[in-house]
Amino acid sequence: MLVGCKQKDLDISSFDNWDLGLGAPICIAGPCSVETPEQLDLTVAALVSEGIKIIRGGVWKPRTRPNSFEGVGAKALPWIKEVKDKYKVKFAIEVASPIHVEEALKFGIDIFWIGARSTVNPFTVQEIANSLKGVDMPVLVKNPVNADLALWIGALERFHQAGIKKLGAIHRGFSNFNDKTYRNSPMWQIPLGLKTYLPEIPLLNDPSHISGRRDLIPQIAQMALDLNFDGLMIESHIDPEKAWSDAFQQLHPSDLGQLLRALKTRKVDVDNPIFQSQLELIREQIDDVDRELLEILSRRMSLVEKAGEYKKLNNVTVFQRERWKKVFETRPEWAQALRLNPDFAKDLFQLIHTESIKKQTEVKERIDYPNIKG
Ligand code: PEP
Ligand code: MN
């Protein structure tokens, strides 16, 4: 579900084409949380030996329940300064209040990110943005916890209006009770909506918080690169199983290195004219199929209207539970037989159902109030 954004276009002409000067794709890696000076030093040393140049680490952790580990707080900042100097790395942390910003700036933190739980709240975002006025610092805005593109764009706009030039976005997935696979559903159409609306803003993918589990990270990261994301933020810990937060999703630095070497980066466009013309041919066929799909849907809706009129004449309700139960049972089965994803068929028929009910209600109203509805 792509949430439309009807606001006036954000003026992005002043955005730097920001790539941190480190080449693409950018990879930010590091522990979910900074725990101890030793854990930080060992993790950073191992990540640097895998070629990582920007480290992440949570200092203040937004946890769902109280009394769980909420980050070591400001006392981690001098440890971070030490590893930054020792390993010549840049360091990114999450800030969720003006106090965090103030503390972090004292210790030369290089990059801030705004967490998913902060992005949902315009008051919080505005307060942080105000505290950054006059500070020339990269800010990465994670998507809000809920699937709302406008809220994500709104947060970026607040930082832009506060004068932040180096803005980026991080896709970390969306809360979804029905998703049994991912900790946070990727809903790729939303970050792609952001990319379409704000093409200048680097967009990173965070497969760690999307997956919630180590084994799914490679496929999500590859998908992001295939979709032309500008980079990744991945959680990595020297002893992942013993991590104080998000232990299931962190990778050992050597596994991260292996993953990064295995990922394929693809070119956005290939100059080769044969490739271009072949692709054009396939796209034309897709256009034809889409037209046919719409013709078929239009035929289906005509039949639905006919059934609606018939129901009305016989004084039968529009919604008939048994019929829809049967539709919902059979369509995913039919889809599977055609090697289509049954969940996709379920979602599709959910939409078709909503539209069909709407159509039949309109029929009912037309018949009930012929003079008003024409
Ligand atoms: C994090 O990156 O450690 C974090 C808390 O992420 P999110 O805000 O995406 O939940
Ligand atoms: Mn985490």
Side-chain angles (χ1 to χ4, degrees):
M1 135 218 20
L2 178 62
V3 183
C5 187
K6 296 202 181 70
Q7 294 177 25
K8 175 165 96 46
D9 277 8
L10 172 60
D11 172 21
I12 52 162
S13 53
S14 57
F15 279 105
D16 290 357
N17 199 352
W18 178 50
D19 66 1
L20 283 175
L22 294 169
I26 305 160
C27 183
I28 302 178
C32 177
S33 306
V34 176
E35 299 165 4
T36 63
E38 296 71 35
Q39 168 252 11
L40 184 62
D41 188 280
L42 291 172
T43 306
V44 175
L47 286 170
V48 167
S49 74
E50 298 295 342
I52 299 295
K53 298 187 176 80
I54 313 173
I55 309 291
R56 61 149 283 152
V59 170
W60 298 278
K61 299 300 299 176
R63 303 309 296 278
T64 307
R65 305 277 305 272
N67 308 325
S68 51
F69 169 62
E70 292 186 316
V72 295
K75 78 169 189 249
L77 296 169
W79 312 340
I80 293 176
K81 180 145 181 23
E82 211 170 304
V83 292
K84 265 174 53 61
D85 294 343
K86 184 167 168 191
Y87 297 103
K88 310 279 172 264
V89 286
K90 290 185 188 285
F91 211 102
I93 70 166
E94 172 176 351
V95 287
S97 74
I99 296 164
H100 296 168
V101 170
E102 193 187 319
E103 296 276 343
L105 287 176
K106 286 187 210 150
F107 289 87
I109 299 295
D110 305 280
I111 300 168
F112 288 153
W113 85 77
I114 308 303
R117 292 162 195 78
S118 299
T119 309
V120 287
N121 186 341
F123 289 133
T124 302
V125 171
Q126 193 61 56
E127 276 181 9
I128 305 171
N130 291 346
S131 73
L132 281 167
K133 278 197 180 132
V135 179
D136 181 21
M137 174 113 186
V139 176
L140 304 172
V141 181
K142 284 199 167 198
N143 66 252
V145 176
N146 54 321
D148 187 338
L149 175 58
L151 204 49
W152 197 3
I153 291 173
L156 287 159
E157 283 174 323
R158 288 179 197 276
F159 286 104
H160 179 61
Q161 283 175 8
I164 296 293
K165 298 269 193 300
K166 293 178 173 137
L167 264 180
I170 304 176
H171 166 229
R172 51 77 79 195
F174 303 89
S175 197
N176 177 2
F177 279 129
N178 294 322
D179 196 329
K180 306 277 180 289
T181 309
Y182 301 107
R183 179 178 175 193
N184 293 291
S185 305
M187 300 186 189
W188 295 99
Q189 73 276 25
I190 296 182
L192 293 180
L194 185 84
K195 192 90 191 141
T196 311
Y197 190 75
L198 296 174
E200 300 289 320
I201 291 187
L203 174 61
L204 309 192
N205 171 261
D206 171 350
S208 311
H209 289 91
I210 291 178
S211 66
R213 34 185 269 220
R214 273 181 275 287
D215 61 321
L216 289 180
I217 291 175
Q219 68 192 63
I220 300 167
Q222 186 61 61
M223 177 81 173
L225 294 188
D226 291 349
L227 292 172
N228 198 26
F229 276 58
D230 302 287
L232 301 164
M233 178 189 261
I234 303 184
E235 287 190 339
S236 177
H237 189 292
I238 198 66
D239 193 355
E241 266 115 63
K242 299 220 179 79
W244 297 2
S245 57
D246 288 350
F248 293 115
Q249 70 192 32
Q250 304 206 53
L251 293 177
H252 188 276
S254 59
D255 293 333
L256 175 76
Q258 208 176 352
L259 163 66
L260 295 178
R261 285 186 291 279
L263 288 173
K264 292 182 189 62
T265 47
R266 302 184 210 278
K267 294 183 209 144
V268 182
D269 256 319
V270 174
D271 293 335
N272 179 350
I274 298 175
F275 166 81
Q276 285 297 353
S277 59
Q278 289 298 329
L279 184 62
E280 212 34 61
L281 269 180
I282 301 172
R283 284 181 173 157
E284 277 168 21
Q285 290 172 35
I286 293 175
D287 288 349
D288 287 346
V289 170
D290 283 352
R291 232 170 266 120
E292 279 173 38
L293 257 177
L294 289 170
E295 278 162 20
I296 289 174
L297 278 173
S298 161
R299 264 173 48 211
R300 188 187 200 283
M301 287 306 158
S302 304
L303 288 167
V304 162
E305 276 184 39
K306 202 164 160 184
E309 276 164 27
Y310 195 60
K311 282 183 205 167
K312 168 70 190 162
L313 285 174
N314 290 280
N315 214 18
V316 171
T317 54
V318 164
F319 177 64
Q320 285 167 309
R321 202 173 152 272
E322 280 313 305
R323 164 70 183 158
W324 271 103
K325 211 168 146 246
K326 204 164 150 210
V327 170
F328 278 118
E329 274 163 16
T330 51
R331 274 44 169 183
E333 285 169 16
W334 297 353
Q336 197 147 30
L338 292 164
R339 296 198 298 136
L340 283 169
N341 179 350
D343 288 335
F344 163 65
K346 256 188 224 150
D347 289 347
L348 183 64
F349 277 91
Q350 198 65 260
L351 276 175
I352 292 178
H353 182 210
T354 309
E355 183 63 15
S356 303
I357 292 279
K358 206 169 133 213
K359 277 259 170 283
Q360 294 201 352
T361 321
E362 279 167 14
V363 166
K364 196 170 176 306
E365 283 176 10
R366 239 188 351 257
I367 293 173
D368 280 345
Y369 311 106
N371 295 334
I372 298 171
K373 296 271 166 180

